[in-house]
Amino acid sequence: MLKLVIGNKNYSSWSMRPWVLLRQADIPFEEVKVRFDSFEAGSAFKNTVNALTPTGKVPVLVDGDLVVWDTLAIAEYVAELFPDKQLWPRDRAARARARSVCADMHAGFTHLRGNCPMNIEVSLADTGALIWRDKPGVRTDVARLVAMWQGMLSEHGGPLLFGSFSIADAYFAPVCMRLKTYALPVPPSIAEYVARVCALPGVKAWMDDAVAERDFLDFEEPYRLAPTDPQH
């Protein structure tokens, strides 16, 4: 059975992508969670993950003797391993577009990712309003994201980016978490897409687990000084 090594579900946006992909596609796997105690050399997290991959980061997919790291590489490997799951769109042009937007997310939207770190268990709407007011880069990233999603939803007819569930939806699931947590303003069509992603069984399972962790890590919390009751 595949093993997927992940970090804290409340914080680890990169871990969320392949976990949701596998869970939503009903692909059996063993979850191995390595808590974010610290990212410093010599920490338990680094010691555990460094034994698996030269990057010292999660997620990591282990298939027998093969170790695959990086979310795009994991997605491609799983798509090849389970071609019957049709994790990329069938149409060649749509498939190329899906790969392009995933790579775009992988390397881009740095203002949104940097200023709005994933934090599923709470509502940070007030913080989001200040970020929206003071961070033009976030506004630019969200505007580009909205245009991208609207184009794909319109072209493929929804309900998800390429019609049915694909790697692209798993890849953007953590972005949906950010939009939700920080209550960033988006058009109704995008808010509806976010709601549909949150309702996917694989995404909902991750969100439920994230809330249940109740593992407050101050170094992951630029906007909270102490844990609070979950707000949803």
Side-chain angles (χ1 to χ4, degrees):
M1 180 182 291
L2 297 174
K3 290 184 181 181
L4 184 66
V5 183
I6 63 170
N8 286 54
K9 289 183 177 177
N10 190 48
Y11 303 115
S12 186
S13 58
W14 293 105
S15 297
M16 184 181 187
R17 293 179 168 96
W19 194 98
V20 164
L21 179 65
L22 292 167
R23 182 67 174 266
Q24 186 63 27
D26 198 25
I27 296 170
F29 69 100
E30 177 187 347
E31 172 191 312
V32 180
K33 187 165 76 172
V34 184
R35 181 178 181 270
F36 288 165
D37 63 326
S38 167
F39 300 134
E40 300 298 322
S43 67
F45 174 82
K46 282 295 186 182
N47 287 341
T48 300
V49 180
N50 281 338
L52 295 172
T53 168
T55 66
K57 298 178 180 180
V58 288
V60 181
L61 184 74
V62 180
D63 185 9
D65 294 331
L66 176 65
V67 176
V68 186
W69 61 92
D70 185 272
T71 53
L72 278 177
I74 292 171
E76 291 285 9
Y77 180 74
V78 171
E80 290 185 6
L81 199 60
F82 299 94
D84 58 307
K85 298 295 185 179
Q86 204 61 57
L87 300 178
W88 290 116
R90 292 182 182 274
D91 177 76
R92 182 172 61 184
R95 192 162 59 249
R97 179 77 188 283
R99 285 190 167 109
S100 295
V101 299
C102 287
D104 195 4
M105 183 67 247
H106 196 278
F109 299 97
T110 54
H111 294 283
L112 176 61
R113 286 162 42 196
N115 287 287
C116 301
M118 193 174 84
N119 191 335
I120 293 172
E121 75 167 4
V122 293
S123 171
L124 297 172
D126 290 344
T127 299
L130 293 176
I131 292 170
W132 190 259
R133 184 192 70 186
D134 297 337
K135 303 292 184 181
V138 173
R139 299 195 298 272
T140 298
D141 278 357
V142 172
R144 191 162 75 84
L145 186 72
V146 165
M148 176 189 292
W149 284 1
Q150 285 179 329
M152 290 183 288
L153 290 167
S154 175
E155 181 178 354
H156 300 286
L160 300 176
L161 294 178
F162 291 89
S164 57
F165 175 78
S166 72
I167 289 170
D169 300 295
Y171 224 80
F172 282 107
V175 180
C176 293
M177 301 301 102
R178 288 175 164 95
L179 295 177
K180 183 176 184 294
T181 294
Y182 297 92
L184 301 181
V186 295
S189 62
I190 299 304
E192 291 165 4
Y193 169 70
V194 170
R196 290 194 294 272
V197 169
C198 290
L200 292 172
V203 175
K204 186 178 184 303
W206 177 279
M207 293 172 67
D208 289 345
D209 288 351
V211 172
E213 278 180 344
R214 303 306 303 274
D215 187 13
F216 178 81
L217 302 176
D218 57 0
F219 59 87
E220 285 280 4
E221 295 273 8
Y223 304 123
R224 288 201 297 168
L225 298 178
T228 58
D229 289 334
Q231 302 173 44
H232 291 277

